[in-house]
């Protein structure tokens, strides 16, 4: 009798465990999509981030460290770009113009930097202005520390909130047991600063002894998507989990997102990380992907250029090489669609000022989605 | 007693040479496994199986075993060339992982001697240094 109970429990455990890695939320492949994809900028290696300027130019960061301006069909290499620590997932990362760019000209850039005493590198945030073909007035605003030679999890995305603050992410730098749950250490965090790099006095850990006061939320693994919800103004992230634990989270002040104490994923080797998927005091994702799509880039569609797309969320998939459209009902994902399959690893997606969608794909370049009339 | 000792010695030498590899290679592979878990595993996966048509396999890969120098070059500098691995064509770019030469040698020794792969000749630091872009 006892034996059969144990056997039964074993079966239940095995069943649950294997279920945990099965596809729980099916992705649909639509028969028709309301756009055709046109390769606007070709010959890029790893186009990591894109920024749209008021004069119609697009700035593209190449992970290798080049910043490229594309305007009227002409591409120019921008000089005086900060030196990047080119190792593993590190390099030149995101780029975002200030919301008031037309008046102040500030561009914000994240990159892997080896600045500091220790060997290795960590994620840094800087700002600069574009003058002719070079960056000027370069200012380092934040630098994660201490450096490490680990090649993993630099993050990093940047977004401005409606509150005027700048939010950016740093991944846990391959030190999951040291960084994400410790607010006195960098990594595995989403940060909030003023546009000049100073720390807002109402940040959640201002006044907490030893804390990195730029931290806004913690317990993250590797957020490579950050976007502002067009209606609520909330900051949403997507982040790489381990195998089977990629997430979308709504970022709240001072909140703990649980990595690595709670996760829906397992180690790449198939061994468990923890048996907990939830715990009091830790936030639940609004969506998680099983299997992992390896999400990068994130954009809400606010324009009405594409039939049926307004209000949905776009996320790039590195692992399965497509653009995912998530249909939302409030904060709930109700449908997933696979778009642009088979072109390559989708690294970034943005809605341009023209209301059109731009998609950066590794080994290819930047695609513009032309609406079908 | 002496005979027994000698017998054991003679029996154990061939057994040892079968079961224990060169300690220098073993240490290099150990360091290489850590590099692999950091820089390679997300695409080439835990057992070097890769993803068909996207990320080439390393386990029992004819390309890897027959193109030692090109493989070292790929790990050292990254690569963006079309290759055929076990009859399947691959054309995805591998970014420069940014490894030190010692680390390239270590991870090469790991992948050349894991998952059913094996090679007689250990990859040395000098060999990596001599490999040009």
């Amino acid at each position: 009798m006892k034996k059969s109970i144990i056997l039964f429990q074993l079966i239940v455990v095995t069943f649950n465990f294997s279920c945990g890695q099965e596809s729980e939320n099916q992705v649909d492949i639509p028969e028709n999509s309301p756009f055709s994809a046109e390769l606007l900028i070709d010959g890029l290696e790893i186009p990591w981030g894109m920024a749209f300027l008021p004069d119609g130019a697009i700035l593209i960061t190449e992970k290798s460290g080049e910043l490229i301006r594309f305007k009227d069909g002409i591409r120019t290499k921008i000089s005086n770009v900060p030196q990047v620590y080119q190792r593993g997932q590190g390099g030149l990362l995101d780029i975002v113009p200030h919301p008031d760019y037309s008046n102040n000209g500030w561009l914000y850039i994240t990159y892997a930097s080896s600045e500091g005493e220790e060997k290795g590198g960590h994620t840094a945030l800087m700002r600069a202005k574009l003058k002719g073909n070079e960056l000027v007035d370069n200012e380092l605003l934040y630098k994660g520390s201490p450096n490490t030679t680990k090649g993993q999890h630099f993050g990093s995305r940047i977004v401005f909130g409606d509150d005027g603050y700048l939010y950016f992410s740093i991944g846990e730098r391959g030190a999951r047991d040291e960084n994400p749950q410790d607010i006195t250490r960098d990594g595995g965090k989403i940060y909030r600063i003023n546009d000049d790099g100073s720390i807002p006095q109402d940040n959640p850990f201002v006044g907490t002894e030893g804390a990195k006061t730029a931290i806004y939320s913690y317990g993250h693994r590797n957020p490579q998507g950050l976007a502002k919800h067009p209606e609520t103004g909330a900051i949403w992230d997507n982040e790489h989990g381990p195998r089977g634990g990629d997430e979308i989270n709504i970022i709240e002040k001072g909140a703990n997102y649980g990595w690595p104490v709670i996760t829906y994923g397992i180690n790449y080797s198939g061994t468990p990380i923890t048996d907990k998927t939830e715990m009091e005091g830790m936030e639940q994702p609004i969506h998680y992907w099983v299997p992992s799509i390896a999400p990068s880039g994130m954009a809400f569609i606010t324009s009405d250029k594409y039939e049926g797309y307004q209000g949905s969320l776009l996320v790039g998939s590195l692992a399965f090489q497509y653009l995912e459209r998530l249909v939302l009902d409030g904060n709930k994902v109700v449908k997933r669609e696979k778009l642009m399959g088979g072109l390559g690893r989708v690294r970034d997606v943005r809605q341009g000022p023209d209301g059109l969608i731009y998609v950066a794909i590794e080994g290819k370049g930047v695609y513009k989605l032309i609406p079908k009339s | 007693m002496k005979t027994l000792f000698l017998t054991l010695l003679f029996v154990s030498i061939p057994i040892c040479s079968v079961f224990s590899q060169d300690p220098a290679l073993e240490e290099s592979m150990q360091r290489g496994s850590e590099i692999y878990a950091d820089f390679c595993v997300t695409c080439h996966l835990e057992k070097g199986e890769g993803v068909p048509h996207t990320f080439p396999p390393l386990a029992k890969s004819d390309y890897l075993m027959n193109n030692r120098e090109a493989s070292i070059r790929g790990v050292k500098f990254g690569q963006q060339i079309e290759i055929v691995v076990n009859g399947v064509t691959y054309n995805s770019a591998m970014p420069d992982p940014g490894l030190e030469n010692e680390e390239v040698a270590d991870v090469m020794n790991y992948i050349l001697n894991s998952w059913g792969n094996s090679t007689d000749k250990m990859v040395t630091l000098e060999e990596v240094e001599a490999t040009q872009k």
Side-chain angles (χ1 to χ4, degrees), chain B residues 63 79-85 88-92:
Chain B
Y63 180 89
Q79 70 178 33
Q80 189 158 19
I81 49 168
E82 190 176 287
I83 58 172
V84 177
V85 184
V88 178
T89 303
Y90 292 86
N91 203 3
S92 339

Side-chain angles (χ1 to χ4, degrees), chain A residues 59-125:
Chain A
L59 296 175
I60 302 118
T61 52
E62 274 272 19
K63 180 178 165 290
S64 60
E66 283 190 5
L67 179 60
I68 296 159
R69 178 177 54 206
F70 183 83
K71 195 188 174 205
D72 304 326
I74 296 164
R75 68 184 76 194
T76 316
K77 195 180 153 187
I78 303 300
S79 61
N80 197 28
V81 174
Q83 182 73 36
V84 301
Y85 177 60
Q86 156 70 17
R87 183 168 158 99
Q89 298 165 11
L92 189 58
L93 304 173
D94 206 14
I95 182 161
V96 164
H98 192 283
D100 195 21
Y101 178 85
S102 31
N103 287 315
N104 63 29
W106 285 118
L107 289 166
Y108 292 79
I109 295 172
T110 48
Y111 60 105
S113 160
S114 58
E115 186 152 317
E117 300 278 299
E118 324 83 17
K119 191 176 155 78
H122 215 300
T123 307
L125 171 77

